[in-house]
């Protein structure tokens, strides 16, 4: 267990928030409004102490998992009530009090609410949907391990998350038992990795690896780090967004021992960037951990260029590098979240050249069935001709780029005094 002194002494007290967090505060972005972050403690938790609210274990213990609990916090629509009733036996409902405090109790289209509360559309299955959209199970040599690319593996260390995202691609697994990988399974994973010397990169995911207690997580990291050919450890998490209280100084002290270690955080909407999330990312970044964000493109949530632009710019401000925008996978019951690929490309068109290059992520489709990530971007090539390529820039202006004139050196003699004769050829 972590010492009590780890419990986020630097967390901003609940009463000390920026004005924009006390009220719904629309920001203008190129004439468009984007909802900013706010954290309003619902009445039901008004008596909860500061210490409890900032304790990640308290947050986990008090997750909202039933219709009755949710009813006391937000005005549910018939679509949400139907969705919650039908979520049993499908993807579980669980929302931390913190994440619930970001939800708009009135507006059912609130981006936080859309992500955490099931809707009746989840029971509508499309013919294209799959139980295992990325073919992970067929690339699993050992339970808990997915080995799809030659030099890197995905290690699923737990099926528990702080909040279950309604569009989760791994909904076949997450939330079913809320358990971590067994010791026996983990030993099998280590054995496999020791005998596969090409693997140099291990991504711990799940579920959310940061829901493990420090000791358990450290045991995993230290044993993976002890394998000589494992160069890089990575963690995929949504905890800085859904349970930022989990990012304690004790956790960061432990993680720092296992560098090079990188963390990919699943951010979706600018409204998720609260003071708590800022503090969590700041602690991690101060621990020397490179942070990237992975964002799923979601209809009605972040599928507008001005929202995505706001998100990527806010992420850079908290030292999180926008890494990927994912086209929504074909998980069961998620059709209502999917946008067209053209929407994603249009968003990229509005980012590249229109904001800092560091803020521009790679837009990818994770190929159905397990083909891996395929990058997509607007087509900037107008034409390719002999000796030149015609390109357009972000403003639509057209430019010619001459290809190099290749100088070919040809051996003319095989003596010690070799003479190179340049021969000019066109590309
Ligand atoms: S945090 Fe990740 S693994 Fe967990 S429910 Fe959300 S998308 Fe799925």
């Amino acid at each position: 267990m972590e010492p009590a002194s780890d419990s986020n002494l630097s967390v901003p007290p609940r009463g000390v928030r920026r004005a924009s967090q006390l009220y719904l505060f629309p920001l203008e972005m190129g004439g468009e409004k984007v909802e900013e972050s706010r954290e309003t403690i619902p009445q039901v938790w008004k008596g909860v102490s500061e210490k409890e609210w900032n304790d990640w274990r308290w947050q986990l213990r008090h997750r909202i998992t039933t219709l009755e609990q949710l009813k006391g916090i937000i005005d549910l629509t018939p679509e949400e009530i139907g969705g919650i009733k039908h979520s049993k036996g499908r993807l579980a409902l669980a929302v931390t009090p913190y994440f619930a405090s970001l939800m708009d109790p009135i507006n059912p289209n609130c981006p936080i609410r859309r992500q955490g509360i099931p809707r009746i559309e989840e029971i509508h299955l499309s013919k294209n949907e799959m139980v295992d959209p990325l073919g992970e199970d067929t690339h699993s040599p050992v339970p808990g391990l997915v080995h799809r690319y030659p030099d890197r593996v995905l290690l699923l260390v737990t099926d528990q998350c702080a909040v279950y995202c309604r569009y989760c691609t791994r909904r076949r697994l997450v939330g079913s038992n809320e358990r971590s990988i067994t010791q026996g399974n983990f030993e099998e994973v280590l054995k496999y990795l020791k005998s596969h010397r090409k693997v140099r990169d291990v991504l711990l995911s799940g579920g959310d690896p940061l829901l493990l207690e420090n000791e358990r997580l450290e045991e995993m990291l230290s044993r993976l780090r002890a394998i000589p050919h494992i160069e890089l450890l990575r963690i995929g998490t949504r905890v800085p967004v859904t349970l930022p209280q989990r990012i304690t100084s004790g956790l960061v002290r432990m993680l720092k021992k296992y560098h090079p270690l990188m963390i990919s955080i699943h951010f979706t909407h600018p409204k998720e960037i609260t003071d708590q999330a800022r503090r969590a990312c700041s602690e991690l970044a101060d621990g020397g951990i490179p942070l990237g964000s992975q964002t799923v493109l979601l209809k009605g949530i972040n599928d507008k260029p001005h929202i995505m632009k706001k998100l990527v710019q806010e992420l850079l401000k908290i030292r999180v590098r926008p890494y990927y925008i994912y086209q929504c996978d074909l998980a069961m019951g998620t059709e209502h979240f999917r946008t067209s690929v053209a929407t994603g490309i249009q968003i990229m068109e509005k980012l590249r050249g229109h904001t800092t290059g560091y803020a521009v992520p790679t837009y990818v489709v994770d190929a159905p069935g397990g083909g891996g990530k395929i990058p997509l971007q607007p087509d900037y090539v107008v034409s390719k001709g002999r000796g030149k390529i015609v390109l357009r820039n972000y403003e639509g202006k057209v430019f010619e780029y001459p290809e190099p004139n290749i100088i070919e050196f040809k051996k003319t003699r095989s003596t010690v005094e070799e003479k190179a004769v340049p021969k000019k050829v066109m590309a």
Side-chain angles (χ1 to χ4, degrees):
M1 298 285 282
E2 287 175 55
S5 61
D6 271 350
S7 59
N8 296 318
L9 294 176
S10 56
V11 167
R14 272 187 287 153
V16 183
R17 296 202 177 84
R18 296 181 316 130
S20 57
Q21 286 184 283
L22 296 173
Y23 306 100
L24 200 59
F25 198 87
L27 286 187
E28 293 283 336
M29 280 288 293
E32 304 268 12
K33 287 177 180 167
V34 182
E35 279 182 45
E36 236 217 351
S37 55
R38 61 167 194 163
E39 191 188 337
T40 306
I41 314 299
Q43 192 61 36
V44 65
W45 294 302
K46 284 287 188 225
V48 171
S49 72
E50 204 73 50
K51 192 165 176 248
E52 285 175 311
W53 186 261
N54 288 325
D55 174 352
W56 69 275
R57 295 185 186 89
W58 182 92
Q59 288 278 340
L60 262 191
R61 275 199 309 274
H62 290 83
R63 283 186 305 168
I64 300 150
T65 56
T66 66
L67 175 61
E68 286 63 39
Q69 288 173 305
L70 258 184
K71 270 185 181 164
I73 297 162
I74 55 180
D75 296 340
L76 292 169
T77 63
E79 292 75 23
E80 289 170 326
I81 292 171
I84 295 163
K85 284 183 176 163
H86 285 90
S87 63
K88 287 199 181 71
R90 299 168 190 264
L91 178 62
L93 162 71
V95 180
T96 54
Y98 164 78
F99 205 57
S101 77
L102 306 182
M103 290 180 179
D104 187 321
I106 311 292
N107 178 9
N109 294 322
C110 158
I112 306 293
R113 192 161 153 171
R114 290 277 327 272
Q115 293 183 69
I117 300 180
R119 284 194 182 188
I120 195 67
E121 289 99 312
E122 283 188 28
I123 69 166
H124 303 144
L125 304 182
S126 139
K127 64 177 171 41
N128 295 316
E129 291 171 351
M130 303 177 213
V131 174
D132 177 17
L134 305 181
E136 292 177 336
D137 296 343
T138 52
H139 290 85
S140 179
V142 176
L145 194 73
V146 179
H147 192 176
R148 183 165 48 188
Y149 302 99
D151 70 337
R152 52 206 187 273
V153 293
L154 169 68
L155 175 53
L156 305 175
V157 297
T158 175
D159 72 346
Q160 190 182 20
C161 300
V163 172
Y164 293 110
C165 312
R166 304 321 302 174
Y167 47 85
C168 180
T169 200
R170 237 169 255 144
R171 57 193 293 140
R172 73 189 186 284
L173 299 175
V174 300
S176 40
N177 299 306
E178 300 217 311
R179 289 208 194 110
S180 62
I181 189 169
T182 63
Q183 196 60 35
N185 259 180
F186 185 60
E187 299 297 336
E188 274 188 66
V189 165
L190 290 175
K191 201 168 149 197
Y192 179 89
L193 292 177
K194 282 176 189 165
S195 64
H196 286 75
R197 302 176 61 83
K198 280 191 181 156
V199 177
R200 39 167 288 285
D201 174 358
V202 178
L203 169 60
L204 282 74
S205 183
D208 203 315
L210 296 189
L211 289 193
L212 300 180
E213 291 286 345
N214 287 2
E215 292 74 9
R216 177 95 168 104
L217 186 57
E218 177 156 22
E219 193 216 333
M220 291 185 184
L221 293 174
S222 61
R223 295 193 64 193
L224 290 166
R225 177 51 73 230
I227 300 174
H229 54 273
I230 306 284
E231 298 167 8
L232 182 64
L233 298 173
R234 290 186 289 154
I235 293 175
T237 180
R238 187 150 161 77
V239 145
V241 177
T242 54
L243 182 65
Q245 297 81 0
R246 172 64 182 107
I247 309 300
T248 62
S249 48
L251 174 69
V252 176
R253 263 201 310 277
M254 183 277 282
L255 294 174
K256 277 168 72 166
K257 291 193 245 167
Y258 300 99
H259 279 312
L261 180 133
M262 305 174 86
I263 293 188
S264 293
I265 306 171
H266 172 176
F267 275 98
T268 300
H269 191 277
K271 204 176 168 184
E272 295 168 344
I273 304 177
T274 62
D275 280 354
Q276 289 264 22
R278 285 186 187 91
R279 180 208 57 82
C281 292
S282 176
E283 291 239 10
L284 292 167
D286 288 349
I289 302 171
L291 304 176
S293 82
Q294 309 198 110
T295 299
V296 183
L297 181 59
L298 297 168
K299 191 172 176 179
I301 294 178
N302 59 13
D303 59 341
K304 297 281 181 290
H306 71 279
I307 294 176
M308 207 56 100
K309 188 172 174 185
K310 172 78 179 158
L311 175 64
V312 295
Q313 290 178 339
E314 289 298 316
L315 286 171
L316 274 197
K317 282 160 66 179
I318 59 169
R319 292 184 281 169
V320 178
R321 163 85 155 94
Y323 179 35
Y324 282 130
I325 293 177
Y326 286 102
Q327 178 66 16
C328 191
D329 293 327
L330 303 171
M332 306 293 276
T334 61
E335 179 96 350
H336 56 297
F337 283 116
R338 286 209 289 136
T339 66
S340 66
V341 170
T343 302
I345 291 177
Q346 195 189 11
I347 287 172
M348 295 309 295
E349 179 84 57
K350 300 282 183 186
L351 293 179
R352 173 66 64 198
H354 297 274
T355 189
T356 315
Y358 274 114
V360 182
T362 304
Y363 171 47
V364 291
V365 173
D366 222 334
K373 295 177 189 68
I374 300 172
L376 293 172
Q377 64 166 352
D379 195 354
Y380 295 105
V381 177
V382 177
S383 68
K384 287 178 188 167
R386 192 171 160 75
K388 69 175 182 189
I389 185 164
V390 182
L391 306 165
R392 70 168 176 89
N393 76 353
Y394 72 103
E395 297 165 305
K397 292 181 182 160
V398 175
F399 299 86
E400 271 186 22
Y401 178 82
E403 298 282 27
N405 290 327
I406 297 172
I407 308 295
E408 191 181 84
F409 289 89
K410 202 175 170 188
K411 269 188 190 173
T412 54
R413 283 197 237 161
S414 59
T415 60
V416 183
E417 293 174 68
E418 285 181 345
K419 193 175 171 188
V421 177
K423 183 187 170 195
K424 203 171 181 185
V425 290
M426 293 299 285

